[in-house]
Amino acid sequence: MTDSTPVIATPEHSVDGFVRQYLRELTYSQGTTLERATTHDKYLALARTVRDYLISRWNRTVDSFLSSDDSRGVAYLSAEYLLGRQLDNALLASDLQDIAAEALARLGISLDELRAAEVEPGLGNGGLGRLAACFLDSLATMDVPAIGYGIRYEYGIFRQTFVDGRQVEEPDNWLDNGSPWEFAAPQQEVTVGFGGHTETYTADDGTERSRWVPGWEVLGVPHNYMVPGFQNGRVNTLRLWSARATRAFDLRIFNYGDYTEAVRSQTFAENISKVLYPEDSTPQGKELRLQQQYFFVACSLRDFIDTVLGEGFDLHRLPERIIFQLNDTHPVIAVPELMRLLVDEKGFGWDEAWAITQQCFAYTCHTLLPEALEVWSVELLGRLLPRHLEIIYRINEEFLAQVRERSGGDEMLARRMSIVAEHPERAVRMAYLATVASTKVNGVAELHSQLLRDKVLQDFAAFFPEKFINVTNGITPRRFVRLANPGLSGLITEAIGDGWVTDLDRLRELEPLADDAEFRRRFREVKAANKARLVGFLAARDGIQIDPATMLDVMVKRLHEYKRQHLKLLHVVSLYERIRSGELDPARVTPRTVVFGAKAAPGYRMAKEIIALINHVAARVNTDPVVSQVLRVAFPANYNITVAETLIPAADLSEQISLAGKEASGTGNMKFALNGALTIGTDDGANVEIRQLVGDDNFFLFGLTEPEASAIQEAGYRPGAYYEQDPTLRRALDLVASGEFSGGDRSVFEPIVSNLLHEDRFMVLADFQSYLDAQDRVEAAYADADAWSRSAVLNVARSGFFSSDRSMRDYLDRIWHARPVAMTA
């Protein structure tokens, strides 16, 4: 993209033109007048007006993708996309922010009021989905032909509420009033089969072939979202699939009076795209998850081959035209599906189909936890996708023949590397299948990629050394700095110009200003304004009152034991206990507000217990007449992108405290650093690279290193020993065990205490004292506001590496071997 890229002004790119377009939408789309319109009417009219400015660009982009035959595109396959609200991003991408604000003001309408009316799409859960959304934004901004594929969840993950401090999951009805940003395309629906059986037959050329005869089918209906690049004329596509029955309603059965049975097939089919990550502790839940995964990749591959490539395309050239990026293991069933399409439906020989398939996929692994690497039982796969299981068996058979040949018949190595595990049950290891089938396998931070090679997929890294590479994650600066932090964005632009929005390395030009007292003062003013904005937001949304004069200490991420929210909580409990006991003089404690934000998976009992404990501790701390003067805890329910965009710019301290060697990367850590928060963290995931870039003096490091943690675990970790040796830790845990935070009932949080004392898989107790020491350094540093501001400015200046634009350049150069294709007028 260059500054001379023409802006397509359709409709008229002016305030008068915007007013006319807006009133037209209000009248003819909403069927109302300015005087009678509700806030929702006005929002929908605004969304459709902004959408109209992008549609002509979108159509040109789609036409370019369809007609291009000499460039490789990217198809991103992801089970989730955490998009966030669309209005502001569309206004920014189309350069309409000022025009829209002035046009609405002429009509007596507040743009801020309409912003607040937008409902965030419920299409993702956490970092994985937000990363996918950032990557799509960068691909469009960098002029890369790309399409995202996923599922249009009717209810998304869930809406989190708290009852007596405990998480309660409610449906996220984000589609109740429709979505003005999506375009349904039922005429392009795809039929997807499940179950049934396979059979062999003799083809016309005399060869024996296999085919799948599904037992039942559903339809995949595409819903398209526009993904606009930043003011460059390109609008890529995110295509999400919803499921519906091939025969939604049986009139004959209905007329007999069995109304439930008449719509049973519709209900059964629509369950597939009902919710993100259905609870899978039951066999039915596991089956639904596999249905979801196969459904969306089958729709997506069929769509790309039939719609994007079209009739007559020579599929021998498929690798020249597309690379399918597998975002974690959820879409890996796409590998045998492409083989089935090529061999069974297109008549390819097995060897040529496999050669094509191995060039069309790349795999990103997002975990270091063995239990997070998906495994599907052979029984379930065989029952739901019998032909795919046959294909997987053959892939595995031929792969293991290679392993045995190269290893001199090492049978133990073959067993370890087999895609099909034999114990404790016969099952398909999807990460292994992805690794064998993909042209590249990447981790998402330097440490993660190293551990992936050295531990998680060690045998495969030795067998395929050329496949394993690193691409550190990134975030889009358009949403998470330019939109989320307008005060800081304005300060940066005033200092170095506006080119940083698409070239985040330019933030380095801010480094000298860290030593400029006037710039530091203005930086503090921006942070104070962001805190004031957060105060109003949380008061209106949650009824939560926070003091903007306190240090804002924030830990927001998915609730999982390895992320160690309970370590942060033990710090809070320890402060509470030490103040109450008189060990700490409140006058000598830096006032702080600790903010948590997290959802726990519905079936993850321990994570939900930790949420309950956080809320019960908060209730006790916040009402204590002494402690609450210097320490408060807030836990706004239903943390999402909308909350993040207000909370992150206000934060002073970013909590990134996972056990070293357990977090793949993290992207929240990047968002906080780019918005001027200092990090307290372990050497884990992308923390390692953040610390290296911002400098040890501007990062609060604590805890065991990955080799140290591994050595202690291997020697036999005894968490009880740390409890016995550390009186501060002992008093904090004893306070929880005593019932202090549960109305005197010792049994309520006993599972958490017992787990920490006897198991503590993620070594909370081992890192506790080091963490408290680091927090003492935090307090000392925060006492010098000017020095803290200098460190915060340097965090911003030195974090440009963490742009998702840089991540995309790495993927383009190292994995995809695709190139930007600039849009023309």
Side-chain angles (χ1 to χ4, degrees):
M1 188 187 79
T2 66
D3 292 338
S4 61
T5 302
V7 176
I8 310 303
T10 306
E12 183 183 341
H13 216 83
S14 67
V15 174
D16 288 340
F18 195 96
V19 168
R20 285 193 294 271
Q21 190 74 10
Y22 180 80
L23 291 175
R24 187 179 300 118
E25 289 289 347
L26 196 62
T27 302
Y28 296 109
S29 294
Q30 293 307 109
T32 189
T33 65
L34 190 59
E35 293 72 25
R36 288 190 289 107
T38 65
T39 299
H40 184 65
D41 288 328
K42 293 173 185 176
Y43 162 71
L44 288 178
L46 175 59
R48 291 189 175 110
T49 299
V50 177
R51 198 179 73 173
D52 290 347
Y53 281 79
L54 293 170
I55 285 176
S56 62
R57 309 175 190 195
W58 184 36
N59 285 328
R60 276 207 325 281
T61 304
V62 171
D63 289 342
S64 173
F65 203 167
L66 292 173
S67 62
S68 176
D69 196 36
D70 60 352
S71 62
R72 195 183 207 196
V74 177
Y76 203 78
L77 302 179
S78 179
E80 54 174 298
Y81 292 90
L82 199 57
L83 298 176
R85 292 175 174 177
Q86 296 295 287
L87 176 61
D88 273 332
N89 190 63
L91 286 169
L92 178 65
S94 54
D95 197 20
L96 284 171
Q97 289 176 305
D98 293 339
I99 288 174
E102 185 177 342
L104 292 173
R106 284 190 189 180
L107 298 171
I109 300 171
S110 164
L111 177 56
D112 286 340
E113 181 182 358
L114 300 194
R115 283 188 177 112
E118 183 173 5
V119 177
E120 182 174 320
L123 297 167
N125 176 29
L128 183 83
R130 186 53 237 174
L131 183 78
C134 284
F135 281 4
L136 292 189
D137 173 87
S138 285
L139 287 168
T141 295
M142 296 168 64
D143 274 316
V144 177
I147 183 168
Y149 283 115
I151 300 177
R152 179 186 181 263
Y153 300 102
E154 186 176 346
Y155 293 108
I157 182 71
F158 59 82
R159 182 177 179 274
Q160 180 192 53
T161 60
F162 297 133
V163 175
D164 296 329
R166 294 188 172 273
Q167 174 177 292
V168 174
E169 301 91 24
E170 296 181 348
D172 178 10
N173 301 307
W174 72 280
L175 283 170
D176 269 4
N177 294 310
S179 172
W181 301 102
E182 70 176 15
F183 298 79
Q187 71 282 3
Q188 295 177 348
E189 64 188 16
V190 175
T191 301
V192 179
F194 291 97
H197 63 276
T198 63
E199 59 187 27
T200 58
Y201 69 99
T202 302
D204 292 341
D205 61 2
T207 59
E208 188 175 88
R209 291 189 168 272
S210 297
R211 63 183 164 213
W212 178 26
V213 183
W216 52 280
E217 296 175 329
V218 301
L219 296 176
V221 179
H223 294 73
N224 298 318
Y225 280 74
M226 295 185 290
V227 184
F230 178 71
Q231 300 177 11
N232 66 345
R234 175 176 287 278
V235 182
N236 284 339
T237 301
L238 170 60
R239 178 161 280 202
L240 304 174
W241 300 94
S242 64
R244 69 179 180 88
T246 53
R247 187 178 64 178
F249 180 73
D250 192 314
L251 181 60
R252 182 182 60 83
I253 294 176
F254 183 86
N255 285 336
Y256 276 114
D258 193 344
Y259 307 134
T260 301
E261 185 63 31
V263 295
R264 184 178 299 278
S265 62
Q266 178 180 359
T267 302
F268 185 74
E270 291 178 357
N271 282 341
I272 292 175
S273 54
K274 213 68 157 180
V275 299
L276 169 64
Y277 301 150
E279 212 283 296
D280 65 350
S281 61
T282 64
Q284 296 90 338
K286 287 183 171 63
E287 183 168 341
L288 182 54
R289 278 214 189 190
L290 183 55
Q291 288 173 6
Q292 284 187 334
Q293 294 179 7
Y294 176 65
F295 167 75
F296 102 80
V297 300
C299 288
S300 303
L301 292 181
R302 176 70 73 182
D303 176 75
F304 188 83
I305 290 172
D306 291 350
T307 303
V308 179
L309 297 180
E311 189 177 350
F313 182 85
D314 181 2
L315 288 173
H316 290 90
R317 296 182 51 235
L318 187 61
E320 301 171 21
R321 191 72 174 84
I322 197 67
I323 181 77
F324 294 102
Q325 184 67 39
L326 303 170
N327 192 31
D328 218 6
T329 51
H330 310 119
V332 172
I333 197 67
V335 171
E337 171 65 2
L338 181 57
M339 285 296 291
R340 187 189 70 82
L341 291 174
L342 294 176
V343 174
D344 294 359
E345 297 195 10
K346 303 298 181 180
F348 280 62
W350 176 272
D351 291 341
E352 61 179 346
W354 183 234
I356 291 167
T357 297
Q358 285 185 295
Q359 297 175 71
C360 285
F361 288 102
Y363 166 51
T364 301
C365 179
H366 284 279
T367 188
L368 288 164
L369 303 178
E371 66 267 26
L373 296 173
E374 277 189 314
V375 174
W376 293 112
S377 74
V378 162
E379 184 278 327
L380 175 58
L381 263 171
R383 176 162 43 85
L384 204 62
L385 301 170
R387 178 60 178 143
H388 298 76
L389 182 59
E390 290 178 355
I391 291 170
I392 291 168
Y393 278 151
R394 182 163 176 184
I395 291 171
N396 190 47
E397 180 184 333
E398 295 187 356
F399 169 62
L400 291 184
Q402 291 179 287
V403 171
R404 292 184 178 102
E405 181 180 353
R406 284 176 49 177
S407 66
D410 187 337
E411 194 57 33
M412 288 304 296
L413 178 64
R415 284 176 175 271
R416 290 200 307 269
M417 297 183 73
S418 176
I419 295 168
V420 180
E422 300 296 333
H423 299 287
E425 64 173 344
R426 296 204 78 208
V428 176
R429 299 186 269 210
M430 302 307 281
Y432 290 13
L433 176 60
T435 302
V436 171
S438 295
T439 179
K440 294 291 182 183
V441 177
N442 74 281
V444 290
E446 288 286 356
L447 177 61
H448 172 240
S449 295
Q450 175 192 329
L451 295 174
L452 201 63
R453 291 189 299 265
D454 294 349
K455 293 189 174 182
V456 180
L457 295 172
Q458 180 181 13
D459 292 327
F460 289 90
F463 196 83
F464 299 117
E466 73 289 350
K467 285 192 179 188
F468 284 75
I469 63 170
N470 173 66
V471 178
T472 299
N473 283 341
I475 64 168
T476 169
R478 269 75 62 185
R479 180 174 289 273
F480 287 106
V481 184
R482 177 66 177 77
L483 289 176
N485 201 338
L488 180 60
S489 297
L491 188 62
I492 294 171
T493 298
E494 183 181 330
I496 66 174
D498 61 5
W500 63 271
V501 178
T502 54
D503 182 6
L504 209 58
D505 288 337
R506 287 196 55 196
L507 292 182
R508 278 281 180 180
E509 297 171 35
L510 294 173
E511 275 205 47
L513 295 174
D515 294 316
D516 183 317
E518 175 61 15
F519 187 83
R520 294 196 302 271
R521 182 190 66 79
R522 295 183 64 193
F523 185 90
R524 288 194 295 275
E525 287 179 349
V526 167
K527 183 66 74 172
N530 288 338
K531 285 187 175 183
R533 180 164 60 113
L534 176 67
V535 168
F537 177 84
L538 289 181
R541 178 186 183 269
D542 301 276
I544 292 174
Q545 302 295 327
I546 65 172
D547 182 355
T550 61
M551 178 204 301
L552 195 63
D553 178 355
V554 181
M555 186 171 191
V556 286
K557 52 187 76 248
R558 181 168 53 90
L559 202 303
H560 196 292
E561 288 169 275
Y562 88 81
K563 294 178 184 289
R564 302 203 296 189
Q565 282 93 345
H566 43 343
L567 174 57
K568 173 76 254 177
L569 186 61
L570 280 178
H571 171 232
V572 171
V573 171
S574 178
L575 282 174
Y576 170 81
E577 188 278 329
R578 291 161 72 196
I579 293 171
R580 286 286 306 274
S581 68
E583 179 183 332
L584 280 179
D585 179 356
R588 301 178 67 85
V589 175
T590 298
R592 75 167 79 199
T593 300
V594 178
V595 179
F596 290 92
K599 291 181 180 180
Y604 191 169
R605 182 173 176 272
M606 183 57 70
K608 296 175 80 168
E609 287 297 312
I610 291 170
I611 285 178
L613 180 55
I614 292 171
N615 279 322
H616 281 74
V617 169
R620 191 75 184 87
V621 167
N622 294 347
T623 55
D624 186 280
V626 176
V627 178
S628 64
Q629 299 303 305
V630 293
L631 176 65
R632 294 184 71 85
V633 180
F635 196 156
N638 205 47
Y639 180 73
N640 58 15
I641 297 299
T642 302
V643 179
E645 290 172 346
T646 309
L647 178 58
I648 290 172
D652 294 305
L653 186 66
S654 165
E655 299 274 352
Q656 308 297 330
I657 60 176
S658 55
L659 175 63
K662 300 302 180 185
E663 180 70 83
S665 170
T667 52
N669 46 9
M670 303 170 189
K671 298 180 185 92
F672 280 104
L674 276 165
N675 280 277
L678 273 61
T679 303
I680 182 169
T682 53
D683 252 347
D684 195 29
N687 286 359
V688 177
E689 288 147 285
I690 290 174
R691 183 175 62 82
Q692 290 169 348
L693 286 165
V694 307
D696 287 336
D697 293 341
N698 308 304
F699 186 106
F700 300 98
L701 178 66
F702 79 93
L704 299 166
T705 64
E706 190 279 329
E708 289 170 342
S710 294
I712 292 174
Q713 293 279 22
E714 289 170 9
Y717 174 52
R718 283 202 320 112
Y722 292 86
Y723 167 83
E724 294 159 4
Q725 296 163 11
D726 185 338
T728 304
L729 172 60
R730 186 165 61 250
R731 292 199 305 271
L733 267 178
D734 286 351
L735 198 61
V736 175
S738 73
E740 172 77 8
F741 307 109
S742 50
D745 188 340
R746 292 172 171 269
S747 67
V748 174
F749 296 117
E750 176 58 28
I752 296 176
V753 175
S754 291
N755 178 274
L756 287 172
L757 287 175
H758 302 295
E759 184 176 350
D760 191 18
R761 181 181 171 198
F762 300 106
M763 305 183 77
V764 169
L765 303 194
D767 272 350
F768 176 79
Q769 188 56 56
S770 178
Y771 180 57
L772 260 59
D773 293 342
Q775 288 288 359
D776 289 343
R777 298 197 302 274
V778 168
E779 292 212 358
Y782 195 75
D784 186 341
D786 203 44
W788 184 279
S789 299
R790 182 180 184 277
S791 289
V793 171
L794 288 173
N795 265 261
V796 176
R798 294 171 177 173
S799 294
F801 172 80
F802 298 108
S803 169
S804 52
D805 298 349
R806 188 272 313 150
S807 295
M808 290 299 89
R809 285 194 296 272
D810 288 348
Y811 274 97
L812 290 167
D813 294 343
R814 303 174 188 175
I815 299 176
W816 298 334
H817 305 299
R819 59 182 175 82
V821 179
M823 297 300 299
T824 57

